[in-house]
């Protein structure tokens, strides 16, 4: 079990930031990464669909024998974290609570902005965690086009800056001093976001803190890899083009990903009456 890989899942390429942080902190650990590019972006989709897509991918990772699941997608974490922890016997780590902890340590005036997909913001997953502390005031802002920019490989330029100005204006007006990047795609847009918010505002992403959680869970459960063989890193995507995934991943990550396997996830039938809530655009 200790030599089994860590399974990391995201709706697309954004979770590669988490995969990189995990590999940086735990270079001896093997990793399997799946990007659900067939269904990306998750943000505007009904929560029942996000839940089904996510569990299908996680089922695939468990079938491949991973020892831990990392949900490197904020929308998926908000939609089905509890389900995942009940469904699987391996430990499950997500990205929302690590970012919240970091933001609480970072803020100076207690005014925190959270940007994310419609799904993440409408779920109030971040807001509810922050508002447990009465000294904090939280402002949520959906930025739906940000994922589209990243998935298209666009991380700068006038169109992106125009969208950032529009999305972030309410947070500037609110006087936040900390902004949580509530989507693993958003770290690729740090330059534009920081430019619009100004140097006095701290940006918080969950990649490093999530990797810290992965490390803590592996140590606590005595699951650290003990093999002397080199770690392996396997990348998979559910979309129709491995070449597109490779090109975008290498453009964004600045590292060589040479092979991506295309996978088809299983079909899960969920009782529709339990999931009538939808995430609206």
């Amino acid at each position: 079990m200790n030599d089994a890989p860590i399974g990391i899942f995201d709706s697309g390429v954004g979770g590669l930031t988490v995969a990189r942080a995990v590999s940086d902190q735990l270079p001896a650990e093997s990793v399997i990464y799946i990007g659900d590019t067939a269904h990306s972006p998750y943000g505007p989709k009904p929560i029942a669909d996000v839940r089904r897509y996510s569990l299908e991918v996680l089922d695939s990772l468990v079938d491949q024998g991973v020892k831990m699941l990392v949900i490197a997608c904020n929308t998926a974490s908000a939609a089905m974290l509890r389900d995942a922890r009940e469904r699987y016997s391996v430990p499950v780590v997500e990205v929302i609570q690590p970012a919240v902890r970091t933001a609480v340590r970072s803020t100076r005036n207690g005014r925190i902005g959270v940007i994310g997909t419609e799904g993440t913001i409408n779920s109030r997953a971040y807001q509810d965690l922050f508002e447990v502390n009465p000294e904090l005031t939280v402002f949520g802002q959906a930025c739906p086009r940000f994922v589209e920019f990243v998935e298209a490989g666009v991380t700068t330029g006038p169109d992106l800056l125009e969208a950032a100005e529009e999305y972030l204006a309410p947070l500037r007006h609110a006087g936040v001093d900390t902004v949580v990047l509530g989507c693993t795609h958003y770290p690729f847009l740090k330059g534009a976001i920081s430019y619009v918010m100004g140097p006095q505002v701290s940006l918080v992403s969950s990649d490093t803190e999530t990797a810290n959680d992965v490390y803590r869970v592996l140590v606590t459960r005595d699951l650290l890899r003990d093999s002397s063989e080199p770690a392996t890193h396997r990348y998979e995507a559910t979309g129709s083009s491995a070449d597109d995934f490779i090109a975008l991943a290498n453009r964004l990550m600045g590292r060589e990903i040479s092979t991506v396997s295309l996978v088809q996830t299983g079909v899960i039938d969920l009782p529709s009456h339990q999931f009538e809530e939808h995430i609206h655009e």
Side-chain angles (χ1 to χ4, degrees):
M1 183 65 173
N2 290 57
D3 291 342
I6 297 168
I8 303 177
F9 148 67
D10 185 53
S11 62
V13 298
L16 289 170
T17 57
V18 175
R20 177 172 56 188
V22 169
S23 294
D24 287 346
Q25 290 199 29
L26 295 158
E29 296 291 338
S30 295
V31 168
I32 300 176
Y33 179 95
I34 296 183
D36 190 17
T37 50
H39 301 116
S40 182
Y42 278 6
K45 289 182 169 60
I47 192 170
D49 288 348
V50 171
R51 181 176 180 270
R52 183 174 70 255
Y53 299 148
S54 302
L55 291 175
E56 287 171 357
V57 174
L58 295 181
D59 279 359
S60 175
L61 285 168
V62 171
D63 288 345
Q64 294 184 64
V66 300
K67 65 181 176 183
M68 168 187 280
L69 293 168
V70 180
I71 306 174
C73 175
N74 290 261
T75 306
S77 294
M80 43 65 73
L81 175 61
R82 180 178 299 177
D83 301 287
R85 287 181 168 159
E86 292 176 352
R87 185 179 183 88
Y88 307 112
S89 59
V90 298
V92 179
V93 173
E94 51 82 42
V95 290
I96 294 177
Q97 290 197 29
V100 168
R101 291 197 304 266
T102 304
V104 170
R105 292 195 301 264
S106 175
T107 186
R108 302 173 303 280
N109 67 5
R111 301 175 73 81
I112 298 173
V114 178
I115 59 175
T117 66
E118 300 105 317
T120 298
I121 298 302
N122 291 341
S123 75
R124 293 192 55 84
Y126 276 98
Q127 295 95 313
D128 290 346
L129 285 174
F130 279 122
E131 288 172 0
V132 171
N133 185 337
E135 296 181 358
L136 300 177
T137 305
V138 185
F139 305 88
Q141 177 64 44
C143 305
R145 293 183 63 201
F146 278 179
V147 170
E148 296 173 13
F149 280 117
V150 173
E151 292 287 337
V154 176
T155 58
T156 187
D159 290 342
L160 172 60
L161 285 174
E162 181 181 356
E165 291 279 2
E166 176 186 346
Y167 290 147
L168 300 176
L171 301 185
R172 294 175 60 186
H173 180 74
V176 303
D177 73 349
T178 302
V179 173
V180 175
L181 308 183
C183 174
T184 48
H185 286 69
Y186 292 2
F188 295 116
L189 306 180
K190 271 186 175 180
I193 296 169
S194 180
Y195 175 79
V196 171
M197 292 304 301
Q200 75 283 0
V201 175
S202 300
L203 304 184
V204 172
S205 58
S206 57
D207 47 2
T208 300
E209 194 65 28
T210 299
N212 291 340
D213 275 11
V214 170
Y215 183 91
R216 282 191 287 267
V217 171
L218 292 180
V219 171
T220 301
R221 302 204 180 194
D222 194 24
L223 288 174
L224 285 172
R225 187 167 182 262
D226 50 23
S227 173
S228 60
E229 296 295 320
T232 60
H233 296 83
R234 178 179 176 85
Y235 301 92
E236 300 177 351
T238 62
S240 59
S241 173
D243 290 341
D244 289 346
F245 184 96
I246 291 171
L248 180 57
N250 286 330
R251 176 176 178 179
L252 295 173
M253 298 297 290
R255 61 168 57 184
E256 186 70 20
I257 296 177
S258 59
T259 304
V260 171
S261 301
L262 295 180
V263 297
Q264 287 191 338
T265 55
V267 176
I268 296 177
D269 293 323
L270 298 174
S272 60
H273 67 278
Q274 294 182 15
F275 306 103
E276 294 179 352
E277 178 185 359
H278 283 66
I279 298 171
H280 301 288
E281 297 188 19

